[in-house]
Amino acid sequence: MTRHRTGAETPAAAAGGPRGTLAELGRLAALPLEHGRTLPAEAYTSPEMYAWEAERIFRREWLCVARAEELPGPGSYLRLDVLGTPLVLTLDEEGEPHALSRVCRHRFMDLLPPETSPERGSLKRLTCPYHAWTYRLNGRCAGRLAGAPLMRRVDFDRAGCRLPAHRVEIWNGFVLLNLDPGAAPAAPALQGLDRRLSGLGLADWVTVHTQDWEGVPANWKVAVENGSENYHHIGTHAETLNPVLPGRDTEIDETDGRWFTMFTPLSDPGQDPAADGGRNAASPGRPTRSGPGTRSSVPPPDERPGMLIAGIFPQFVLAVLPDSAVGIRWLPTGPATHDTRITVMVPPSAPDAPGFAERLDGLRGGIARIQEEDLVAVRGVQRGLASHPAPSDGRFSHLERPLWQFQRYLADRLL
């Protein structure tokens, strides 16, 4: 793995940097999996640690922020806020996405204030509601000032006035955003994961359901770790997911770096997880694994029914089935809070299939129930972390390999 340290920069460069916590992160990340254990509580509660993560990870890393289909045509826009940075995603006449600052260059007004502007829509130009300055959205001129009323009597460089732009890439139909202009492209680091997902055509799948949970009272890493292992199926989801997708049967692939994959076979190949009104559902259809993405111990092609989970650090997990996929992305909003968005996608032809509306109703209920179970877990873990507990005595289970990998990722970015 390649460290991101530049020049003489060290953890001590962060004002009041949590040196002890970072040192412990480095020690734990260097351990083999069989000796791995969770990070100290301060890693999930310290404001200084959070500030360091925001600077070294969330302002430098590629983040999943949307589906490309949320920008359906030229002039489409989507309002975003990432770590307090107001942004707007737009699509130009050539079909190219742009990520622009939403802060007017005149007096810092929000160009799309949530009090008066829809979260998404279509515009020919961005117009500031304060003093009516306008900005272009077409091609290479995206973000350039188009008009500034009553500014001709002052010394003002119109040509040089432009909204700051940030980098975006489209990956399998997802919009990846990076606030760091010097970051390496996202695609090369995800080539291995692309091979695992090839043949699914995820870029063309359509979103049929989205749910948001805002201000969840838990550190972002607690949520990511919960979503990166199926060990907790045996407890948290004992009556929902575990009877259908037993956590104990999960097979973890030996990966390293930004992404991981794992596969959980269906307990009964003839069972439909969407049955019973979605009580045992993670998908609107029966999952069947196909194509690449197998462990070396499982000869391809692997057609066992089940669920393939693919995660991209720092904040995205995708549960893939042949006729559906559930994407979960988390964004921190503070040292002990985060927002969660769950997006359900299906192949383009699925919504026209007979009975899909009824199955989708069941899916909504199933997703809500499973997420509520997860919220009990992440809130409970955060309360435990905030109680100044003794150091953890538990080793990672072999089913928690992605958490061990996550520590290695964090150490690579933070140290």
Side-chain angles (χ1 to χ4, degrees):
M1 299 176 69
T2 302
R3 293 188 179 273
H4 288 197
R5 182 180 301 168
T6 59
E9 189 177 3
T10 66
R19 297 184 183 182
T21 302
L22 290 169
E24 182 67 359
L25 166 62
R27 186 186 73 82
L28 292 174
L31 295 174
L33 174 60
E34 57 269 23
H35 294 295
R37 64 173 70 199
T38 193
L39 297 173
E42 291 76 17
Y44 304 89
T45 59
S46 165
E48 294 82 7
M49 184 73 172
Y50 171 70
W52 191 239
E53 292 168 344
E55 175 60 30
R56 295 299 298 266
I57 295 178
F58 286 93
R59 298 194 185 280
R60 302 189 185 189
E61 190 64 278
W62 288 96
L63 308 176
C64 180
V65 295
R67 282 287 290 174
E69 64 185 291
E70 295 181 80
L71 300 172
S76 298
Y77 78 85
L78 176 66
R79 186 178 62 229
L80 293 174
D81 289 273
V82 178
L83 267 72
T85 302
L87 302 170
V88 57
L89 294 180
T90 67
L91 196 71
D92 67 23
E93 68 279 5
E94 300 296 329
E96 291 296 321
H98 301 269
L100 302 172
S101 168
R102 221 172 61 230
V103 179
C104 183
R105 300 305 309 278
H106 178 223
R107 295 266 299 280
F108 308 112
M109 175 64 183
D110 188 341
L111 296 171
L112 294 168
E115 294 89 346
T116 57
S117 304
E119 180 184 18
R120 65 195 67 202
S122 182
L123 293 170
K124 291 184 178 181
R125 291 183 176 181
L126 276 174
T127 300
C128 180
Y130 200 9
H131 297 99
W133 284 33
T134 59
Y135 301 88
R136 300 175 66 177
L137 297 178
N138 52 310
R140 296 181 180 179
C141 295
R144 182 175 295 174
L145 184 70
L150 306 178
M151 292 291 291
R152 297 193 179 276
R153 296 185 181 182
V154 298
D155 184 10
F156 174 49
D157 180 14
R158 290 170 175 264
C161 185
R162 191 167 190 164
L163 297 173
H166 303 284
R167 297 172 60 192
V168 289
E169 290 188 24
I170 304 298
W171 176 83
N172 280 289
F174 292 94
V175 180
L176 305 182
L177 166 79
N178 200 313
L179 299 177
D180 180 7
L190 300 176
Q191 288 180 351
L193 183 54
D194 283 333
R195 290 192 290 269
R196 299 294 302 272
L197 301 176
S198 65
L200 295 175
L202 289 172
D204 299 322
W205 287 26
V206 296
T207 298
V208 293
H209 179 58
T210 300
Q211 286 185 242
D212 292 291
W213 284 265
E214 297 181 347
V216 178
N219 180 269
W220 68 277
K221 297 189 297 300
V222 173
V224 171
E225 289 173 345
N226 179 76
S228 300
E229 50 92 347
N230 289 348
Y231 185 24
H232 73 288
H233 281 200
I234 66 175
T236 299
H237 305 304
E239 297 182 1
T240 50
L241 289 178
N242 202 58
V244 187
L245 296 162
R248 68 176 181 275
D249 295 337
T250 299
E251 301 164 357
I252 314 295
D253 295 311
E254 294 185 3
T255 60
D256 202 1
R258 280 208 65 195
W259 61 270
F260 68 88
T261 50
M262 56 187 175
F263 174 68
T264 304
L266 196 64
S267 60
D268 179 357
Q271 189 171 7
D272 186 345
D276 194 18
R279 187 177 65 86
N280 293 324
S283 158
R286 183 165 65 89
T288 305
R289 190 188 189 197
S290 60
T294 61
R295 298 182 63 191
S296 59
S297 60
V298 182
D302 182 355
E303 296 294 341
R304 294 175 300 163
M307 178 172 64
L308 175 67
I309 291 184
I312 302 176
F313 299 130
Q315 48 77 259
F316 179 62
V317 165
L318 184 66
V320 183
L321 303 107
D323 53 4
S324 68
V326 179
I328 309 177
R329 55 188 190 264
W330 301 274
L331 277 178
T333 55
T337 58
H338 70 271
D339 292 342
T340 300
R341 168 161 286 195
I342 295 180
T343 303
V344 182
M345 298 144 284
V346 298
S349 61
D352 298 326
F356 180 79
E358 291 76 14
R359 298 175 70 79
L360 184 57
D361 285 341
L363 170 65
R364 291 190 181 102
I367 290 290
R369 178 173 180 179
I370 291 166
Q371 176 64 5
E372 287 299 327
E373 291 172 344
D374 280 327
L375 288 175
V376 171
V378 300
R379 287 191 294 245
V381 169
Q382 191 67 34
R383 286 196 299 271
L385 291 165
S387 69
H388 307 289
S392 168
D393 280 333
R395 300 289 191 207
F396 281 147
S397 162
H398 70 282
L399 296 176
E400 294 173 297
R401 188 185 194 281
L403 276 61
W404 171 79
Q405 184 178 336
F406 184 41
Q407 289 182 355
R408 292 161 59 85
Y409 166 87
L410 292 173
D412 183 66
R413 267 54 175 183
L414 297 176
L415 300 181

